[in-house]
Amino acid sequence: MASQVTFIGAGNMASAIIGGMIDSGYPRAAITATSPSDDMLARVREKLGIHTATDNATAVAKADVVVLAVKPQIMHDVCSAMRDAVQARKPLILSVAAGLPAETLETWLGGELAVVRCMPNTPSLVGAGAAGLYANTRVSEDQRRLATELLEAVGLVEWVEEEALLEAVTAVSGSAPAYFFLMFEAMEEAGARLGLPADTARRLAMQTAYGAARMAMASDKPPGELKRNVMSPGGTTERAIEHLEDAGLREIMQQAMTACAERAREMAEELGKR
């Protein structure tokens, strides 16, 4: 029998995970989503065919897994309102809320709970996500496998053994889709200056990024070797790469990702004090 999974929140990320679960064969009857919005729940029922509810405490009463998918700013109030129901059931808590430490969530829900934190990213919305997961010491091996199963429904899953490493995950994958969108934007603008229609340059850049990612994931060679394989001595690619290296691309990426991780750390501290 499938584990009963209740999503607290029915927004884009929750809907993406639920959709992936269903596409992977997870039974709709074992999934519930909650929201204070009747309109949102009506859309979820129509699109996904799952159970819905407006009362969180009632919805978690029979849950084996509770997925926290609401904004961090309202998480304290949400957790407080369903604390007794969670304590009565002791489900696995799986949080996809950014910045909130596992210990904080466990405290808000009454303590002595198995908590998994997940840092997903927006490509999860199209089934191509990348997520970092961290489990507190109360999480069993069976619960780790279940959390992996749920999140693999929308993409790649990587576990980290130290919670602080989720800040690095934020820099490498959580915030990283925006890095690539910036690259697409810059390549579109450069292509237009070189005479291409902007939409043509955009499509070529995006398809090339997609192809490069597929090649890299299918290969056992490191990215540096794949890069060199494209570069002919004295050729066009070598000239372009030399300009990127001379402009300090590696240092710029290091600085940007360090700033991202530092901000993730700051946010965790700010949210944990609420």
Side-chain angles (χ1 to χ4, degrees), residues 3-262:
S3 298
Q4 294 291 317
V5 183
T6 293
F7 286 77
I8 306 300
N12 288 337
M13 188 58 69
S15 295
I17 297 171
I18 294 168
M21 291 169 62
I22 293 169
D23 289 344
S24 298
Y26 210 89
R28 287 178 168 86
I31 306 172
T32 301
T34 73
S35 171
S37 169
D38 289 327
D39 289 343
M40 177 176 285
L41 293 181
R43 290 194 296 271
V44 169
R45 283 194 302 271
E46 181 179 354
K47 179 180 179 182
L48 300 171
I50 62 170
H51 300 299
T52 61
T54 55
D55 184 77
N56 292 339
T58 301
V60 304
K62 295 183 179 180
D64 301 303
V65 183
V66 173
V67 182
L68 301 177
V70 299
K71 294 183 183 301
Q73 292 79 6
I74 66 169
M75 186 68 77
H76 178 269
D77 291 343
V78 169
C79 288
S80 297
M82 62 181 187
R83 181 187 295 124
D84 291 345
V86 168
Q87 284 297 313
R89 182 67 178 175
K90 297 284 187 180
L92 169 65
I93 304 298
L94 174 58
S95 172
V96 297
L100 284 169
E103 184 178 3
T104 297
L105 294 167
E106 186 182 1
T107 298
W108 288 351
L109 289 167
E112 298 187 0
L113 295 168
V115 179
V116 170
R117 279 189 61 198
C118 172
M119 172 50 63
N121 63 10
T122 54
S124 299
L125 301 176
V126 293
L133 274 65
Y134 163 80
N136 73 1
T137 56
R138 300 182 190 278
V139 177
S140 69
E141 285 303 313
D142 284 345
Q143 288 173 324
R144 284 175 72 107
R145 283 193 288 271
L146 179 55
T148 299
E149 177 187 351
L150 299 184
L151 272 300
E152 279 186 339
V154 289
L156 175 75
V157 169
E158 293 286 347
W159 286 89
V160 296
E161 298 307 315
E162 298 177 30
E163 188 169 14
L165 290 176
L166 288 179
E167 294 153 8
V169 171
T170 301
V172 173
S173 60
S175 296
Y179 313 162
F180 293 100
F181 298 150
L182 173 61
M183 187 71 169
F184 296 155
E185 189 178 31
M187 291 178 71
E188 177 184 335
E189 292 170 356
R193 291 194 186 100
L194 290 169
L196 286 174
D199 58 346
T200 298
R202 182 186 312 128
R203 286 193 294 270
L204 288 171
M206 291 179 180
Q207 179 64 25
T208 301
Y210 172 71
R214 287 193 62 181
M215 279 187 66
M217 294 181 75
S219 175
D220 58 359
K221 297 176 181 178
E225 185 173 347
L226 294 175
K227 176 195 68 180
R228 288 189 293 274
N229 288 345
V230 185
M231 298 167 60
S232 300
T236 58
T237 307
E238 183 183 69
R239 179 75 62 87
I241 293 298
E242 286 176 352
H243 274 275
L244 290 171
E245 294 280 14
D246 290 346
L249 178 64
R250 294 176 188 270
E251 291 77 11
I252 290 170
M253 289 305 303
Q254 177 68 50
Q255 292 167 8
M257 292 170 69
T258 298
C260 180
E262 288 175 350

